[in-house]
Amino acid sequence: MAEALKPVAGLLLVLNFCMYVIVAAIGGWAIDVAIDHGFIIGSGLLLPANFSPIFFPIGNAATGFFVIFAVIASVVGAAAALAGVNHFRAWNSESLPAAASSAVIAWTLTLLAMGLACKEIHLHGRNARLRTMEAFTIILSVTQLIYIIAIHGAVSIVRSRP
């Protein structure tokens, strides 16, 4: 059964890596828009009354927090996928701790970004790219969990053999 879970883990590994890269790319675009269209403060100008350092001219009040945490989660998730490739090649209990710990950290950061995505959905007023980023973050929170279960399940089966 351990070998039956290996293709599932491999598929989820590739899927998660691609989705994390897409989330990072869209998040990078959103940060670029925020930098290009943010507040311009000169030496003689005062900060606006409602100034926020995480101001995004696109989306709503939750967009800045969501984008920042989604980019962090996607970078950690892509790195976790690279650690997962090493585990996938070895597929033994010695390579599991690095892959599992990085996958769990990526999953918890993805859950944080998913919570902010839900808040952004609740507040309305976002464009198609942000909706795509929200959808991918929500999907990643599930697929990353399934990946973690698959790699843990396969190694526990290997350990239980005589």
Side-chain angles (χ1 to χ4, degrees):
M1 177 142 175
E3 288 301 316
L5 289 174
K6 190 173 180 179
V8 172
L11 175 71
L12 288 171
L13 187 64
V14 171
L15 176 70
N16 287 351
F17 179 76
C18 293
M19 290 178 69
Y20 277 126
V21 168
I22 291 169
V23 168
I26 296 172
W29 165 83
I31 291 171
D32 183 56
V33 168
I35 290 170
D36 288 345
H37 297 96
F39 293 115
I40 299 172
I41 307 298
S43 60
L45 300 175
L46 298 174
L47 288 174
N50 294 327
F51 176 73
S52 171
I54 306 179
F55 171 75
F56 279 70
I58 54 173
N60 53 42
T63 300
F65 296 104
F66 167 63
V67 169
I68 297 297
F69 281 102
V71 168
I72 292 170
S74 62
V75 170
V76 173
L82 295 177
V85 168
N86 184 42
H87 173 63
F88 186 76
R89 288 179 345 133
W91 202 251
N92 58 30
S93 60
E94 288 82 28
S95 63
L96 175 67
S101 61
S102 59
V104 168
I105 291 169
W107 179 61
T108 55
L109 288 170
T110 304
L111 285 178
L112 178 61
M114 183 202 69
L116 292 166
C118 292
K119 182 64 176 178
E120 188 178 38
I121 291 168
H122 177 72
L123 294 176
H124 303 289
R126 60 225 193 271
N127 64 18
R129 289 182 183 159
L130 290 175
R131 279 188 236 131
T132 302
M133 196 171 164
E134 293 161 1
F136 276 31
T137 303
I138 292 168
I139 293 167
L140 275 166
S141 66
V142 174
T143 58
Q144 187 72 10
L145 176 63
I146 296 170
Y147 168 72
I148 293 168
I149 291 169
I151 63 173
H152 273 90
V155 171
S156 66
I157 291 170
V158 170
R159 283 186 192 162
S160 66
R161 288 186 183 162

